[in-house]
Amino acid sequence: MPASIDVLTADRLRASNVRTFEGLARIDTGLQLTAYQGDTQLFIRGVGAVTFIGGFDSSIGVYSDGVYLSRSSAIAPALFDVDRVEVLKGPQGTLYGRNATGGAISLVSRGPTDSWTGDVSATVGNYGNVDVMGAVGGPIASNLSFRWAIGSDNHSGYTRLYFGRAAEGREIIRHAEDQRDVTTRLSLRWLPASNVTVDLAGDYYRADDRAVVFHFSGPGYDNSPLFSARIGMGEVGGYGSRQVSTSILPYNKPQNWGLRGTVAIDLDGGTLSWTSAYRRTRPRNYDDLTNSTVLGESQFRQERAEQVTQDLILASDPERSGVRYVAGISYFRERNAIRNEFFFPFLAGYFGGQGMADCCLLKANGSTATDTWAAFGEATLPLDSKLAVTLGGRYSRDRHAGTNLLDFVGFALQNDARLPPVRFRFFTPKAGLEYQPTKGALVYATASRGFKAGGYNVGSGQNSPFRPESIWSYEVGTKLDLGPMAYLRASAFHYDYSDMQVQDVDANAVLIRNAAKAKIDGVEASLAARPDPNLSINFSATYLHARFSEYRTVNTKTPQLGVLDLSGNPLPQAPAFKANAGIERSFDVSGGWSIKARGDATWQDRIYFSAFKDPRATQASYWWLKARMTLVAPGSRDQIAVFVDNLTDIRAFSNISITGDLDGSRGSGVLAPPRTYGLQFTRHW
């Protein structure tokens, strides 16, 4: 296939201690992932969406068993009981459509089996880690099979919450960044006829913990003396620390569930399938944004999203038909009610109010209604025995409407509007050539276009819609099998990025503007080899030159500097260089037992989180090290492993933003997890 695709199997994820969605970025050098206030922010090759408030779409399409996950808060639980993760790099506008500007991530879960199978896993570790998972599957009848999996992840908090001191002088400490969740999925497969397959699945996820917390990276611009005086009445916490001063207990209580049904008909050379899915996503969290034992600001976030997807797809079976093609039509519908509410109690006395009921609650709320229709097709046509051409395209039509509310209770109602329907049409073509000089070698070149949908910026004073952003990608690459025990993948690419949707904090409101153009040039390479049956090595690296080519704007934190020319500045979340290396060695011991020892090392260059190349929002380069040793029983059914992640306990920010003017425009964000280690038992039958 003429494309850059990384396939990470369940065994590969387990071997490299990838137990969370964020952990994917530790082994895939083209990825940047971070958890941020219940959401998952994704970047591939420097392309992604920097988000501050709920309701904004990602620039990376994420699919679970072929169903698009529109809300980023639904992404993390989808890693549960996966068979493999496919990372498609570069715009995927033809087959995946809207919001796949930078690429797509496809999660394929384990499905029903014809024979009885099962999995049991238990993990214990530091921070009180206790994770359990179990699954069973097999035939119910001659033409009906199932798989049911359930798991719970639990650990205590990585961050200390300091509430001050009790009357006797004792520190009052609680913890945040803990995890208390449960996930389950039931899948059924029915074969009503020899050429018909019906797949049904339902999943459910909920959490009740304090997983959301802001870590403060620095004083920022410190431009609110009133706020500084308020938090100075208490004990202010430090910067870059895992101890945060607070006066309230945060909470994180998301609840997501979904249903999916697929009917596939084998047409003897192709498959016609229809997928219908429904998903409800309910993230809800509350946090203290003050970093003081006296409350200066708190934040409540909630979304109530419901989505329906319908896809009708005709795809060939190349082994039987001799050609590759896919064509289809799709429909996507989403309704989302969004609350982003900030309470500033220190202003109550200043404006004469008493509290949240009558003063100083900033409501940045609203709702969105999205409907998308699309028709697409792609085919690979052989020109001769070694050369083939790929042509494809997708026509999309979006409709967006909603409501907008920006109300500073007790001070000023700034916006209360109904947002009229707006429509966008987009065509995303693709063309490619692939040349296969020998059976184990492929050289390809592609040109493709992707787009991220336009829409409305709810919860702001901005009632005019922002336009879609688009990207043209030009890529050349090669895939070489270097004998039966090694392979090489390499590619070079150039992106032209236009109408970028840039999200900035202007005073205390978030604006989304089509304000920038960018160019991205890069090179990726990966090598995997097995010099002998007991030794395997892998290496991958990504180089990015991702920069704004045209962007003139005012930094609202330094308006005295006037309009700034940001051309040449690096794109947020786009390190210039990132590399990963891993080595795994197996040792046979007596009685058929064996030991597998594996180590992984990742190096990441300096990264900026702001378009302004702000030194207040950056993370210096660092190493991330992990190791695992597994004792494997005869037959490989039982395994006992010891592992350590973040071996050197590096303290690194995976996200930093500069807050609004009312709270001093400080730097706050998310720290990557600390060193974790533990013992894991797994059994498969």
Side-chain angles (χ1 to χ4, degrees):
M1 179 178 291
S4 293
I5 302 176
D6 291 340
V7 179
L8 306 171
T9 65
D11 290 340
R12 173 74 168 90
L13 297 176
R14 185 184 303 110
S16 294
N17 301 327
V18 177
R19 299 191 295 155
T20 65
F21 206 86
E22 188 178 1
L24 292 174
R26 307 297 176 199
I27 61 174
D28 193 311
T29 58
L31 281 176
Q32 294 293 127
L33 303 178
T34 182
Y36 186 75
Q37 292 302 99
D39 292 343
T40 301
Q41 293 190 12
L42 304 97
F43 294 77
I44 296 179
R45 293 177 171 175
V47 179
V50 178
T51 60
F52 303 122
I53 61 174
F56 193 50
D57 290 335
S58 173
S59 296
I60 309 300
V62 179
Y63 291 77
S64 178
D65 295 321
V67 176
Y68 175 56
L69 302 180
S70 60
R71 295 297 100 213
S72 57
S73 53
I75 293 174
L79 194 62
F80 173 74
D81 195 36
V82 295
D83 179 69
R84 64 187 183 276
V85 179
E86 301 170 350
V87 182
L88 295 85
K89 300 179 179 179
Q92 304 296 320
T94 299
L95 296 183
Y96 289 91
R98 64 197 296 274
N99 300 346
T101 318
I105 298 177
S106 175
L107 307 169
V108 181
S109 61
R110 293 174 175 172
T113 52
D114 295 333
S115 58
W116 285 98
T117 61
D119 296 274
V120 174
S121 174
T123 303
V124 295
N126 62 333
Y127 293 99
N129 180 207
V130 178
D131 297 346
V132 293
M133 182 269 183
V136 63
I140 300 175
S142 60
N143 63 344
L144 180 64
S145 57
F146 82 103
R147 181 177 176 88
W148 177 49
I150 185 170
S152 178
D153 296 332
N154 304 269
H155 65 75
S156 59
Y158 299 148
T159 294
R160 286 162 49 99
L161 299 178
Y162 174 69
F163 286 81
R165 295 180 181 273
E168 69 275 14
R170 173 182 54 85
E171 289 186 341
I172 304 175
I173 299 293
R174 299 290 186 271
H175 288 84
E177 279 195 298
D178 61 331
Q179 186 175 15
R180 299 284 185 271
D181 67 19
V182 62
T183 311
T184 186
R185 180 186 293 118
L186 175 64
S187 304
L188 297 171
R189 178 165 296 160
W190 178 41
L191 306 175
S194 60
N195 66 331
V196 178
T197 302
V198 179
D199 284 308
L200 302 174
D203 63 86
Y204 174 80
Y205 165 83
R206 68 169 176 82
D208 188 357
D209 50 39
R210 295 191 284 271
V212 294
V213 66
F214 282 99
H215 298 100
F216 295 87
S217 60
Y221 292 85
D222 197 20
N223 58 0
S224 177
L226 195 63
F227 182 80
S228 297
R230 166 75 177 193
I231 65 176
M233 297 176 183
E235 295 184 60
V236 180
Y239 300 120
S241 170
R242 286 202 179 272
Q243 176 165 303
V244 176
S245 295
T246 186
S247 61
I248 63 175
L249 273 174
Y251 65 75
N252 175 58
K253 298 182 179 182
Q255 188 178 81
N256 308 329
W257 63 270
L259 299 171
R260 173 183 60 86
T262 299
V263 178
I265 303 174
D266 188 340
L267 302 178
D268 191 22
T271 301
L272 179 66
S273 64
W274 170 55
T275 297
S276 180
Y278 170 84
R279 178 159 295 278
R280 191 179 78 170
T281 307
R282 297 284 192 271
R284 181 164 64 99
N285 54 67
Y286 179 60
D287 196 6
D288 184 353
L289 309 188
T290 306
N291 195 22
S292 171
T293 54
V294 171
L295 181 63
E297 178 188 8
S298 64
Q299 178 191 34
F300 173 78
R301 295 183 62 186
Q302 177 179 279
E303 294 185 57
R304 299 176 63 85
E306 296 186 8
Q307 71 170 77
V308 174
T309 57
Q310 304 283 344
D311 296 290
L312 182 65
I313 298 174
L314 176 65
S316 68
D317 182 346
E319 294 185 359
R320 289 190 291 174
S321 66
V323 296
R324 297 201 309 262
Y325 66 82
V326 60
I329 55 176
S330 69
Y331 170 70
F332 168 78
R333 179 184 188 272
E334 183 186 61
R335 302 294 183 264
N336 191 11
I338 302 155
R339 292 175 63 188
N340 296 283
E341 299 181 354
F342 305 85
F343 179 48
F344 300 94
F346 71 96
L347 294 175
Y350 185 77
F351 290 120
Q354 298 299 316
M356 189 178 297
D358 66 343
C359 178
C360 313
L361 176 66
L362 178 61
K363 295 182 178 181
N365 301 340
S367 64
T368 59
T370 302
D371 294 273
T372 299
W373 299 263
F376 59 93
E378 181 177 304
T380 299
L381 308 173
L383 301 180
D384 59 33
S385 61
K386 297 182 178 180
L387 184 65
V389 61
T390 297
L391 298 173
R394 185 185 191 104
Y395 174 78
S396 302
R397 188 176 69 177
D398 282 354
R399 179 186 183 274
H400 302 270
T403 62
N404 210 347
L405 176 67
L406 185 62
D407 184 13
F408 206 168
V409 177
F411 181 57
L413 175 61
Q414 298 171 308
N415 192 21
D416 186 3
R418 182 167 296 277
L419 304 173
V422 60
R423 293 172 174 83
F424 300 103
R425 294 173 174 83
F426 224 87
F427 180 65
T428 49
K430 177 182 179 180
L433 285 172
E434 55 182 288
Y435 177 65
Q436 192 169 13
T438 62
K439 184 178 180 180
L442 176 69
V443 180
Y444 66 88
T446 61
S448 60
R449 193 185 192 196
F451 84 103
K452 182 173 182 289
Y456 284 108
N457 179 25
V458 300
S460 74
Q462 180 183 357
N463 292 332
S464 58
F466 53 87
R467 301 185 307 276
E469 65 180 19
S470 65
I471 190 169
W472 272 103
S473 166
Y474 309 93
E475 180 169 340
V476 295
T478 184
K479 302 179 180 182
L480 301 175
D481 291 336
L482 307 176
M485 307 296 281
Y487 70 83
L488 172 69
R489 307 287 187 264
S491 62
F493 50 89
H494 171 79
Y495 294 167
D496 281 324
Y497 205 171
S498 59
D499 281 331
M500 287 182 64
Q501 298 167 5
V502 179
Q503 191 176 84
D504 291 323
V505 177
D506 184 358
N508 299 294
V510 174
L511 297 181
I512 301 175
R513 297 171 290 188
N514 296 96
K517 294 182 179 180
K519 294 186 183 298
I520 303 175
D521 297 292
V523 178
E524 283 188 336
S526 61
L527 172 68
R530 188 180 291 273
D532 67 59
N534 295 320
L535 176 64
S536 63
I537 58 175
N538 63 272
F539 174 79
S540 60
T542 299
Y543 168 76
L544 288 176
H545 184 211
R547 72 281 187 195
F548 290 102
S549 57
E550 183 180 315
Y551 188 17
R552 295 176 62 83
T553 189
V554 174
N555 185 348
T556 60
K557 309 308 175 188
T558 57
Q560 69 276 11
L561 299 180
V563 176
L564 304 176
D565 185 357
L566 304 186
S567 58
N569 279 13
L571 297 185
Q573 292 276 16
F577 188 73
K578 188 175 179 180
N580 168 264
I583 183 170
E584 183 174 305
R585 177 76 181 184
S586 297
F587 305 90
D588 293 329
V589 293
S590 62
W593 291 76
S594 63
I595 293 176
K596 290 183 180 179
R598 182 177 179 88
D600 287 275
T602 301
W603 187 83
Q604 178 174 294
D605 208 347
R606 176 176 289 276
I607 192 170
Y608 289 93
F609 304 106
S610 164
F612 297 100
K613 201 178 178 180
D614 196 328
R616 300 166 180 81
T618 184
Q619 170 61 53
S621 60
Y622 63 91
W623 284 94
W624 189 279
L625 307 178
K626 53 175 63 181
R628 182 183 181 95
M629 183 172 290
T630 306
L631 178 64
V632 183
S636 301
R637 289 189 173 185
D638 296 322
Q639 298 186 8
I640 302 174
V642 292
F643 63 88
V644 59
D645 205 345
N646 191 4
L647 180 64
T648 59
D649 201 22
I650 188 73
R651 188 168 296 174
F653 277 92
S654 58
N655 198 330
I656 297 175
S657 63
I658 304 299
T659 62
D661 290 347
L662 280 176
D663 58 4
S665 299
R666 296 168 300 155
S668 64
V670 178
L671 283 170
R675 177 171 53 226
T676 56
Y677 52 85
L679 177 70
Q680 184 180 68
F681 167 78
T682 58
R683 181 168 193 180
H684 172 76
W685 68 91

